[in-house]
Amino acid sequence: MRGVGDGRWRKVASQIGRSVTVWAVSTLTMLALAGILPDFRLRSADGSSATDIAVTAALGAGAFGLLSALVWPLLVRLLLLVPALVLGVLVFFLNGALLWVALRVNPVERGSAAPETAVVVAAVMSAVASATGGALAVRDDDAYRRRLYRLADRRRRSGPPCPATPGTVFVQLDGVGHDVLLAAVDRGLMPTVARWLGTGGDRPTHRLTPWRTDWSSQTGASQLGILHGSNFDVPAFRWYEKARREVMVCNRPTSAAELQARAIEHSGHAGLLAKDGASRGNLFGGGADEQALVLSIAARRRGPAARSRAGYFAYFSDPANAVRTALSFGAEVGREIGQSVRARMRAQRPRVSRGGLYPLVRAFATVVERDVVTAAVMGDVLAGRSAVYADLVAYDEVAHHSGPASRDTEQVLRRLDRALALVENVTEHAPRPYRIVVLSDHGQSPGETFRSRYGLTLADLVRAGCGLPVPRRAR
């Protein structure tokens, strides 16, 4: 009994020590920012002693930490009707507001900060606190496991009893072909997948099987067939329907909703995820009650679309996640611009246009979508859901513009492998066993666009052949 009691006290002491360490680092961070930023001060107008300034920083950092832990999750739940990208932006302003409140409730000295400065200070402090807490948790494996167990236990208590039968997590690596995956494993880009396949001498836990798509080799047709059992009358990614006099595009919300309704009617069932399932980052819902970043419900303003916002609550409930994602987002935009300039200077062919909004689109696909979807899947696993289907679109987005076997895609594949490792780790703490299925919807082959190859668009060629007016270059 004494050993059990001693172990419990050691755990309590360890947790208190981590909290005090994070508080101390946050206090030092606030002091440093007060010395750097002109619109952020921790002293009164007539001056204050060093002790008063230190006490103000310590109390301000402590109040900010408590507000972030207690108030922040409530604010995020109130904003679940806001789309994920908008919520990611609002996070910074709300975080700055919490810092302003923390300074105002300080009983010793009331520091002050300009609104835009408060946003910066709050973002830096959240990032530093998260990094410090994460570093301490890495050194304490028991603390990490206890945190996961607490999350799992909380989700089990809030839901129905979890069955003992295995659940399934489907992770779709969008656009990753069979040969691309093998090459990535051989080059050491995906160590998690390599371990699963037993290529390094480990006992294999997975087997790799190639498959061929039908005539329409693209995400819309493949995912519709996987999730809803039918891709009938989906000839391409984009086509014109004469009966409806409408251009159907698989990644357009209204078209995705129509295609999903047709598939349900044709197959006669709701979909793969109809029984206690979750759909994350997909074009279609698969019949799941829990959906997040699903295109087929993006056009709806009420009903299931509003409920689906809860899928990314687990991610944005921690303001440090938004800060980390924002920094990675900016780095990814810079990386794309640099890679695009390098490709142009080297006159790489084939090459497509990578200007305009594409750097932002790429950053959203490779950073925001990946982080939010991975966090949602981890929450689903801890909740013990029967089936989870998630689409990680990062590789597909980059490969379309840089080429399927380019250097630009290597880092994307590494990050996808880390996402798979996170999912695998969290299954060890799930309330039920899980099978992890990694699949792809299609592959890719390098080739030039019609315009790049012939100097005009296919539409211009058709118009010229019909005797219709065309731009001068098409003549």
Side-chain angles (χ1 to χ4, degrees):
M1 293 299 293
R2 180 176 299 177
V4 174
D6 292 343
R8 183 177 303 171
W9 280 111
R10 280 197 298 268
K11 293 178 181 178
V12 173
S14 176
Q15 186 172 359
I16 294 175
R18 286 195 303 272
S19 300
V20 171
T21 302
V22 172
W23 185 12
V25 172
S26 299
T27 300
L28 294 175
T29 302
M30 182 174 283
L31 287 170
L33 292 173
I36 297 173
L37 301 175
D39 293 332
F40 178 47
R41 66 175 181 84
L42 297 174
R43 65 178 66 195
S44 60
D46 56 353
S48 300
S49 66
T51 302
D52 290 338
I53 295 175
V55 171
T56 301
L59 293 178
F64 179 67
L66 288 175
L67 289 173
S68 297
L70 301 177
V71 178
W72 185 258
L74 300 177
L75 291 177
V76 175
R77 284 194 180 277
L78 293 175
L79 293 173
L80 287 181
L81 296 180
V82 178
L85 186 59
V86 178
L87 180 58
V89 176
L90 286 177
V91 160
F92 293 95
F93 298 99
L94 294 174
N95 214 18
L98 288 182
L99 176 68
W100 184 85
V101 172
L103 293 174
R104 298 297 295 176
V105 300
N106 195 323
V108 179
E109 284 286 342
R110 288 191 174 183
S112 64
E116 62 276 8
T117 305
V119 172
V120 175
V121 174
V124 174
M125 289 187 62
S126 295
V128 170
S130 177
T132 304
L136 295 174
V138 167
R139 296 183 61 184
D140 187 354
D141 292 336
D142 289 337
Y144 175 72
R145 284 193 293 268
R146 285 196 302 272
R147 179 175 180 272
L148 289 179
Y149 282 133
R150 284 197 303 269
L151 289 173
D153 185 62
R154 187 185 309 165
R155 291 177 182 274
R156 283 195 296 268
R157 289 198 306 267
S158 62
C162 189
T165 55
T168 307
V169 177
F170 301 92
V171 182
Q172 176 181 307
L173 303 183
D174 205 304
V176 179
H178 178 265
D179 295 340
V180 170
L181 186 67
L182 283 179
V185 169
D186 291 339
R187 296 201 305 270
L189 301 177
M190 307 186 76
T192 302
V193 176
R195 175 168 50 81
W196 289 351
L197 297 177
T199 57
D202 297 324
R203 180 176 176 272
T205 59
H206 289 65
R207 57 188 174 89
L208 184 62
T209 304
W211 70 282
R212 293 186 179 275
T213 66
D214 57 16
W215 181 256
S216 183
S217 177
Q218 47 89 16
T219 302
S222 296
Q223 196 177 92
L224 194 63
I226 294 170
L227 289 177
H228 289 282
S230 172
N231 58 9
F232 176 75
D233 210 13
V234 181
F237 185 78
R238 179 185 288 104
W239 71 95
Y240 179 74
E241 287 199 351
K242 296 180 181 179
R244 295 169 57 92
R245 296 186 178 182
E246 178 183 351
V247 176
M248 302 291 290
V249 185
C250 288
N251 67 350
R252 181 182 296 167
T254 53
S255 297
E258 173 64 23
L259 294 177
Q260 178 175 299
R262 293 182 188 179
I264 292 174
E265 181 180 1
H266 193 265
S267 64
H269 59 82
L272 176 69
L273 310 174
K275 184 179 179 180
D276 189 31
S279 179
R280 310 300 189 188
N282 301 311
L283 294 180
F284 312 102
D289 290 332
E290 291 292 332
Q291 303 183 34
L293 297 181
V294 174
L295 197 69
S296 62
I297 63 173
R300 306 177 190 173
R301 298 184 180 273
R302 298 179 180 177
R307 276 201 319 274
S308 72
R309 304 296 196 263
Y312 48 82
F313 167 77
Y315 185 79
F316 286 112
S317 60
D318 183 356
N321 286 337
V323 174
R324 183 172 58 251
T325 297
L327 294 176
S328 300
F329 185 94
E332 189 69 17
V333 170
R335 183 178 296 109
E336 162 54 28
I337 294 174
Q339 291 174 350
S340 178
V341 171
R342 183 183 63 189
R344 187 175 296 276
M345 292 179 64
R346 294 181 178 180
Q348 292 180 359
R349 297 292 295 270
R351 187 177 71 249
V352 298
S353 175
R354 294 164 64 171
L357 295 177
Y358 172 68
L360 301 178
V361 174
R362 166 175 166 169
F364 180 82
T366 58
V367 176
V368 180
E369 196 267 355
R370 181 203 65 210
D371 289 351
V372 172
V373 167
T374 302
V377 171
M378 294 171 68
D380 294 327
V381 169
L382 291 176
R385 301 199 181 282
S386 298
V388 183
Y389 194 103
D391 185 7
L392 299 176
V393 301
Y395 173 86
D396 186 69
E397 187 62 50
V398 176
H400 272 307
H401 291 79
S402 302
S406 65
R407 291 177 55 188
D408 298 357
T409 60
E410 291 184 359
Q411 189 168 19
V412 176
L413 291 170
R414 286 193 183 98
R415 291 176 177 174
L416 291 177
D417 187 81
R418 287 201 290 268
L420 294 176
L422 287 174
V423 174
E424 180 188 32
N425 289 338
V426 82
T427 59
E428 298 175 0
H429 307 275
R432 66 190 300 176
Y434 271 96
R435 305 185 185 99
I436 300 177
V437 178
V438 180
L439 70 157
S440 184
D441 49 347
H442 61 84
Q444 294 192 32
S445 58
E448 293 190 83
T449 64
F450 192 91
R451 181 174 183 174
S452 176
R453 180 66 179 84
Y454 298 105
L456 74 163
T457 66
L458 180 60
D460 290 338
L461 180 63
V462 173
R463 290 180 65 86
C466 296
L468 298 174
V470 294
R472 180 176 299 176
R473 66 176 182 276
R475 298 175 185 173

